[in-house]
Every structure is written in C-alpha cells, then in structure tokens.
Amino acid sequence: MTSPSNSCLPDSESIRTTWQKLAGIVKQTPVFTSETLNRNTGSKLFFKCENFQKAGAFKFRGASSALLHISDEQAARGVCTHSSGNHAQALALAAKIRGIKAFIVMPENAPEVKVNAVKDYGGHITFCMPTLEARESTLEEVRNDTGSSFIHPYNNYHIIRGQAGCFFEMLQQMDEEPDYIIAPVGGGGLLSGTILTAKYFSKRTRVIGAEPQMANDAWKSFREKRFIPSESPQTIADGLKTSLGSKTYPIIMEHADDIITATEEGIIDAMFLVWERMKILIEPSAAVPLAALMENPEKFKNKKTGIILSGGNTDLRRIPWMEKRFHH
Amino acid sequence: MTSPSNSCLPDSESIRTTWQKLAGIVKQTPVFTSETLNRNTGSKLFFKCENFQKAGAFKFRGASSALLHISDEQAARGVCTHSSGNHAQALALAAKIRGIKAFIVMPENAPEVKVNAVKDYGGHITFCMPTLEARESTLEEVRNDTGSSFIHPYNNYHIIRGQAGCFFEMLQQMDEEPDYIIAPVGGGGLLSGTILTAKYFSKRTRVIGAEPQMANDAWKSFREKRFIPSESPQTIADGLKTSLGSKTYPIIMEHADDIITATEEGIIDAMFLVWERMKILIEPSAAVPLAALMENPEKFKNKKTGIILSGGNTDLRRIPWMEKRFHH
C-alpha cells in the first residue's frame, strides 16, 4: 500500500465549508456529560451523541458530504454501495433528501431491522450471498445495470471530509479544546476525519482510535507500522470489522496518537453503563471508545476526554446482556 | 374530600422563583423532536426529556423544591418517605446535595436496581412488608425514631411547585406555546404542576393527563366528577398506580382539559418506538402520554403537542418486549 500525495488530503478549508454546506441537512448533535461516568473513570468525559444523528449514526455526515460532489448527470443515474450496516441506511437517506436513487447491495442474512431501515428510506435493495466476493460482484452488476456511482463507506476523501465535521462541530460546542478525543476505528473514515480536524483546528488534542481486541487489525498495523488486514473477526461491535483503506491507513499511521483496544466483555459493560446511567441508546461499536478508556484508565486520569458515540442502531430485540454471553 | 382554599395553591410567582432557585441543582433537560414520530402520529411533537433529569426522573424537581422549605432545625433530623420508585431516589439525592439524611421505607420486594440507586445516593433504607399498611406504619416508626420530616411524593404544594418547573422550563425552550401538553398521571403531582404553569404562563395550552387503562382511577374520577381511588391496579407503568391526593384532585378536576388512557400493549409499543427511533431510554410510565396520544390521534392532528417523558429508570435486564407479554 502506497502513501497518497499530501495534496489529495482534505484541507482545513474544505472541512469547514463542507460542514457549513451540510448545516441544513446534517443534524447538530448534542454533547452530553455524566457525573457518574466521570466518577467511574476518573476522567472528565464529553460524549458527542452521533447516535442522535439522522439515520442513527455519524455515517450520514459522510454520505451527505459525498453527495455534494455528485454532478447532476451522475445524480440522474443514482448512487450505489454494498453494506449491511449504517452506511447503507445513511446513503439511502442522503440520496432520498437529494432526490436521487440509492442502490444498496446487502447480504441475504442482513438483520431484518437494517433491511427495513434501508427500505423505509426508499433504498433499492439487491440481496446477495453473504461473502465479500458476492457483495463486490453483485455491486459490479448493479453498477453496470444502472450506471450509478459507487460511494465507498470510508475509502473516499469526500466521506472523510464529512466525518471530519463531527469533531469540528464538537470543538465549537465545548468551552475548551479537549486533551484527548477517542473515535472507534473500523475502516478508519471517522478516525481519519477526526485526525484531520484535530491537526487543523485543535493542535492540543491527541487523537486515539479504539478498536475491539477481537478485531484489532488497526492496532496491529499501528504497532507494526505496516498494513495488516482484518481477517473474519468475531466481535459484537459489528461496525468495526473492516480493514483500513488506502486513504485512511496513511492518515492514521502518521497522525494518530495511539490505538487502544477493548475486550468483548468490556464493550458490553460500557454499552450497559451508557444505557443505564446516561439513558441513551448506543450500539455496541459506539461503546468501544468508553470500554477501551476504562481498560486503560491511567492515560485519561483527570484529562478532558472527548468520546464519539458513533451510532445507536441496534436490534432492540437482541440485547447483548440478555443473551447467553451475559456474565453479570 | 374537600376543596382546599385557593389561597393555598402555589401562585405564579412562587413557581417562577422556585424554578430560579433550583437552577444550580436541577438539570435543564432538553426538548427533543422526531420527524419519524411526527409522521407516525400526524401531530407535531415536542418531548421534554425528564429521563435525563438527575436521579432519572422529574421527581427530583419536586424533592429539591420541598427541601428548599426545610428549616435548618428540621434539616438536622433529616427527611423521610416511603416509596419503591422514583421519589425514593429523588429524595435521597436531593438530601445528599443538601447535606442531610434521607430515611427511605421500601417494600422488601422492591427491585434491586431501585434499592441500589437509593443506597448509591446515600439513603438510609428500612425494609417493610409490601403492603400500604406496613409502609405507613414503618414510616411512622422511622419518623418517631429519627424526628425526620415526611416528604410526601405528590400531596404537598412544595412538591407540586417543583414539578411545575418542568413545563415552565419547557415553555422557555419552545418558540411558541404548544396547543397541548400531555403529562402522565399517577398521584397527580406532575399533572397538577403542569396545569398551574399553563394557567399562569400559557393560557393557550390545554393540559391533558394520560393514564394506563388498567389504572384509570383519575380518568374515572374526571368523568364521574367524584373522587374514585385506585384499587390494586396491574399495569406495566409502575409509577402510575397511586390514587390522586387531596391537593392534586381538586386542581385536576377544575383545570385539566381531559384525561385520556392507553392500553398495556400501546404503552409497550410507544416505549419501543421512543427507544428505537429517538435512541433514548424511557420507563414504561413515561411512554403513557405518547401511547394515549396514538390511541386518540384525531384530537392532536396537526397540533403542536408537548409530551413530558417523565423518567428513564427501568430495569435493563427486564425489557417488556422481550418478556412473555411481547406480542410483535
């Protein structure tokens, strides 16, 4: 994997203007605090609530940003992607708002709740076998049939620019720049965007990626300073199973302060804590930064620490601490 | 039951000043909207999120208000109440903040999660048999032993004045006075406070009480224009089982626009909807206003309707749609 030329990287002006252009489309999500969680962790926590974002996750920022750069001619033929997760819903809703078609390739075993969400937003679904090969070849067919433009979930600078708006917005909502900001890392779109925002607008803030120990390809890549792909990981944090991309990997390698990990048990505990004490719903992937912080408390002691609660799309009929793995 | 003299009623000035005095203690909770729920109901909904209130429910407003009126001499001997629910937690936390003792009588079968919350706030618990008689006689013993002051959960004008702050605050957060405000009704403290605030500060707003059909004593009282007590009702909305009190009954009879009811199935559906679509946690009692609205949609069509989400204290290991009664 080669480094991109720096001239390709989203610059500070484009991050700011993208955020401004999306003001009427993307929701300004609140920043919550919790005295109980401050007490529990010894840190001073600020939670950016992207679980309240439209379509239930930060992914809507990136999808909306990408659609800013689709020409009218492209728009007429629609956009497409393959995803069983939040990017599918986000792209379907962003396309609906722009008034264009979204073609979504989903594995036939995708959870009903996610399929229904994409349908509710008017997305056109094509089902495929649940393998990466089938997803990619089915997407290729859909692209050929429709002429639609492929919007990659993270390996796309327009997407990264949109995700950068999350921390950009958070900085404006806080009285002071935080010492740390922790973002979950799957494909690395949110983490890359957060890194660029910190680099341009908050030099004081160190950016940390948080990853499930059971899907620790970014952690390994960062430690070994070479690209290590994700290999069929098993984790409850289903949004964080993917490998880094050619555009996110170099940004993270160069600028992340650290990558830290969380155990499966820790992720479920952190998710439970946020639900019970903060009275908000987050999905397992969104609990990973808090879980990783709680498993590495010394670093964050008495520090102002931002945490991105990345999304809230979870099947309310399958709650992790009520399933077999529940250990309390 | 006789009407109180009007001179006893909290006046507009005392509602405003109580809210102002509590500004550093009680949390200003946000007002949320949801395009999905507006679409589902045909109404224009504004949700006052008291699930985010300290101790997880509006009850903290009333308890904090009551403690403003405890003399230093009384404070030295502490306060007491009997409750298995949100008033117990609220009083324990309010007392802790004031730096005084709270003696809480709880039935021995109270949920562990509620017992632990009271303990966490430093409350002194005395357990009793799970009958109203046992609760009252045990409370009497505690009062005799400690000399503490009894803080009734709703039949107390200081409590009502505190609860009035919820809608008072909401009016300041909205651009326009709503056409309706719906509050759940159990003992009637929140509904009475909401009624007084509307009477003084938003004449345009009609105030509706919402009650479980399975605990419809207030609905019956309102229809028959006489006091009808609650008789061991069975409802999932465990905060709404109590009868109206001598101070809340006359306020509600004279000034409520209507009382409407919700079925058990409707309450669970509404709770599920709020969790899934708004990504916030509410307890069953807090879902009753939305459920009642959805069972009486015509009245609220195209109206600006405020809904008080009264609390978020629910056992996350016992989720109604995952129990046997679940019917989806």
Side-chain angles (χ1 to χ4, degrees):
Chain A
M1 195 172 283
T2 56
S3 279
S5 75
N6 272 336
S7 65
C8 297
L9 276 186
D11 62 14
S12 65
E13 195 46 28
S14 74
I15 288 174
R16 186 204 306 275
T17 56
T18 296
W19 180 81
Q20 286 167 340
K21 281 182 201 162
L22 295 175
I25 298 170
V26 165
K27 191 165 162 181
Q28 175 156 339
T29 57
V31 175
F32 278 11
T33 58
S34 162
E35 288 175 26
T36 308
L37 289 180
N38 286 348
R39 237 181 354 256
N40 282 7
T41 59
S43 184
K44 196 147 191 277
L45 304 175
F46 297 82
F47 295 92
K48 179 65 169 162
C49 295
E50 289 295 297
N51 56 326
F52 296 146
Q53 189 51 263
K54 288 185 191 170
F58 77 90
K59 292 278 185 183
F60 183 70
R61 295 182 185 267
S64 300
S65 167
L67 291 201
L68 291 176
H69 301 276
I70 294 285
S71 70
D72 288 344
E73 201 187 349
Q74 289 173 307
R77 294 192 300 270
V79 289
C80 65
T81 201
H82 63 82
S83 163
S84 61
N86 288 332
H87 179 61
Q89 297 179 50
L91 189 64
L93 179 58
K96 184 185 175 186
I97 290 171
R98 171 91 188 253
I100 70 180
K101 285 185 176 165
F103 301 96
I104 313 288
V105 173
M106 298 186 89
E108 59 195 14
N109 63 351
E112 199 189 335
V113 57
K114 306 229 168 188
V115 173
N116 288 340
V118 171
K119 279 186 191 161
D120 280 353
Y121 295 134
H124 301 260
I125 300 176
T126 306
F127 290 102
C128 68
M129 301 281 288
T131 65
L132 185 60
E133 292 72 29
R135 282 163 67 145
E136 288 179 343
S137 65
T138 308
L139 181 69
E140 205 45 46
E141 285 167 33
V142 167
R143 286 175 79 172
N144 286 337
D145 290 353
T146 60
S148 54
S149 304
F150 174 42
I151 309 291
H152 193 282
Y154 52 87
N155 209 36
N156 172 325
Y157 285 134
H158 296 314
I159 292 279
I160 293 171
R161 206 175 272 118
Q163 318 306 25
C166 175
F167 184 47
F168 181 82
E169 185 176 285
M170 188 178 184
L171 283 170
Q172 295 169 70
Q173 293 169 302
M174 293 179 67
D175 294 335
E176 224 186 321
E177 296 173 2
D179 300 302
Y180 290 101
I181 176 84
I182 315 180
V185 54
L190 179 63
L191 182 57
S192 296
T194 304
I195 282 171
L196 294 176
T197 292
K199 176 173 143 79
Y200 300 133
F201 302 101
S202 180
K203 294 214 183 329
R204 167 210 181 88
T205 306
R206 286 187 248 179
V207 184
I208 313 268
E211 205 177 30
Q213 206 178 77
M214 298 291 284
N216 63 352
D217 55 292
W219 179 86
K220 278 194 249 166
S221 301
F222 192 77
R223 292 274 171 305
E224 300 191 16
K225 299 195 193 323
R226 64 186 177 93
F227 176 76
I228 297 171
S230 178
E231 281 175 3
S232 354
Q234 295 297 320
T235 170
I236 189 174
D238 57 349
L240 306 181
K241 290 179 174 178
T242 39
S243 302
L244 298 175
S246 58
K247 294 188 171 64
T248 57
Y249 170 76
I251 297 173
I252 292 168
M253 288 301 287
E254 189 171 345
H255 298 289
D257 185 65
D258 201 359
I259 311 267
I260 59 179
T261 61
T263 61
E264 295 296 294
E265 192 177 309
I267 295 167
I268 296 173
D269 285 349
M271 183 177 167
F272 184 88
L273 254 184
V274 168
W275 284 38
E276 188 179 55
R277 308 310 305 223
M278 297 179 65
K279 312 296 182 194
I280 63 178
L281 259 128
I282 60 168
E283 61 190 71
S285 301
V288 172
L290 178 61
L293 177 145
M294 294 180 86
E295 292 179 22
N296 300 272
E298 282 312 315
K299 192 180 186 100
F300 304 97
K301 200 134 217 162
N302 298 319
K303 300 291 185 189
K304 289 185 84 159
T305 307
I307 282 184
I308 301 180
L309 296 177
S310 49
N313 293 326
T314 192
D315 186 342
L316 291 180
R317 295 189 184 92
R318 301 202 54 194
I319 300 203
W321 50 85
M322 295 177 76
E323 312 248 320
K324 269 218 193 79
R325 70 175 87 202
F326 177 52
H327 60 278
H328 281 279
Chain B
M1 197 172 279
T2 56
S3 279
S5 75
N6 273 336
S7 64
C8 297
L9 276 185
D11 62 15
S12 65
E13 194 46 30
S14 73
I15 288 174
R16 185 203 308 274
T17 56
T18 297
W19 181 81
Q20 286 167 339
K21 281 182 202 162
L22 294 175
I25 298 170
V26 165
K27 191 164 161 181
Q28 176 157 339
T29 58
V31 175
F32 277 12
T33 57
S34 162
E35 288 176 26
T36 308
L37 288 180
N38 286 349
R39 240 185 347 261
N40 283 7
T41 59
S43 185
K44 197 146 189 278
L45 303 176
F46 297 83
F47 294 93
K48 179 65 171 164
C49 295
E50 289 296 297
N51 56 326
F52 296 146
Q53 189 50 265
K54 289 186 189 167
F58 77 91
K59 291 278 186 182
F60 183 69
R61 294 182 185 267
S64 301
S65 167
L67 292 200
L68 291 176
H69 301 276
I70 294 284
S71 70
D72 288 344
E73 200 187 351
Q74 289 173 306
R77 294 192 299 269
V79 289
C80 65
T81 201
H82 63 82
S83 164
S84 61
N86 288 332
H87 179 60
Q89 297 180 49
L91 189 65
L93 179 58
K96 184 185 175 185
I97 289 171
R98 170 91 188 253
I100 69 179
K101 286 184 176 166
F103 301 96
I104 314 288
V105 173
M106 300 185 88
E108 58 194 16
N109 63 351
E112 200 188 335
V113 58
K114 306 229 166 186
V115 173
N116 288 340
V118 171
K119 279 186 191 160
D120 280 353
Y121 295 133
H124 302 261
I125 301 175
T126 306
F127 290 101
C128 68
M129 301 283 287
T131 65
L132 185 60
E133 291 70 32
R135 282 162 67 148
E136 289 179 343
S137 64
T138 308
L139 181 70
E140 205 46 45
E141 284 167 32
V142 168
R143 286 174 79 173
N144 286 337
D145 290 352
T146 59
S148 54
S149 304
F150 173 43
I151 309 291
H152 193 281
Y154 52 87
N155 209 36
N156 171 326
Y157 286 133
H158 296 314
I159 293 278
I160 293 171
R161 207 175 272 118
Q163 319 305 27
C166 175
F167 184 47
F168 182 82
E169 185 174 286
M170 188 178 185
L171 283 171
Q172 295 169 70
Q173 294 168 302
M174 293 179 68
D175 294 335
E176 225 186 321
E177 296 172 1
D179 300 302
Y180 289 102
I181 176 84
I182 315 181
V185 54
L190 179 62
L191 182 57
S192 296
T194 305
I195 281 171
L196 294 176
T197 293
K199 176 174 143 80
Y200 300 134
F201 301 102
S202 180
K203 295 218 183 324
R204 167 208 180 89
T205 307
R206 285 186 249 179
V207 184
I208 313 267
E211 205 177 30
Q213 206 176 77
M214 298 290 284
N216 63 353
D217 56 291
W219 179 85
K220 278 194 250 166
S221 300
F222 192 76
R223 292 272 172 304
E224 300 192 17
K225 300 195 193 324
R226 63 186 178 94
F227 176 76
I228 297 172
S230 178
E231 281 176 4
S232 352
Q234 295 297 320
T235 170
I236 189 173
D238 57 349
L240 307 181
K241 290 179 174 177
T242 38
S243 301
L244 298 175
S246 58
K247 294 189 171 64
T248 57
Y249 170 77
I251 297 173
I252 292 167
M253 288 302 287
E254 189 170 347
H255 298 290
D257 185 65
D258 201 358
I259 311 266
I260 59 179
T261 62
T263 61
E264 295 297 293
E265 192 177 309
I267 295 168
I268 296 173
D269 285 350
M271 183 177 167
F272 184 88
L273 254 184
V274 168
W275 285 38
E276 188 179 56
R277 307 311 305 223
M278 298 179 65
K279 312 296 182 195
I280 62 177
L281 259 128
I282 59 167
E283 61 191 69
S285 301
V288 172
L290 178 61
L293 177 144
M294 294 180 86
E295 293 179 21
N296 299 272
E298 282 312 315
K299 191 179 186 99
F300 304 98
K301 201 137 217 161
N302 299 319
K303 300 293 184 186
K304 291 185 83 160
T305 306
I307 281 184
I308 300 179
L309 296 176
S310 50
N313 294 326
T314 192
D315 187 343
L316 291 179
R317 296 189 184 92
R318 301 202 55 195
I319 301 201
W321 49 85
M322 296 178 75
E323 311 248 318
K324 270 217 194 83
R325 70 175 88 201
F326 179 52
H327 60 278
H328 281 280

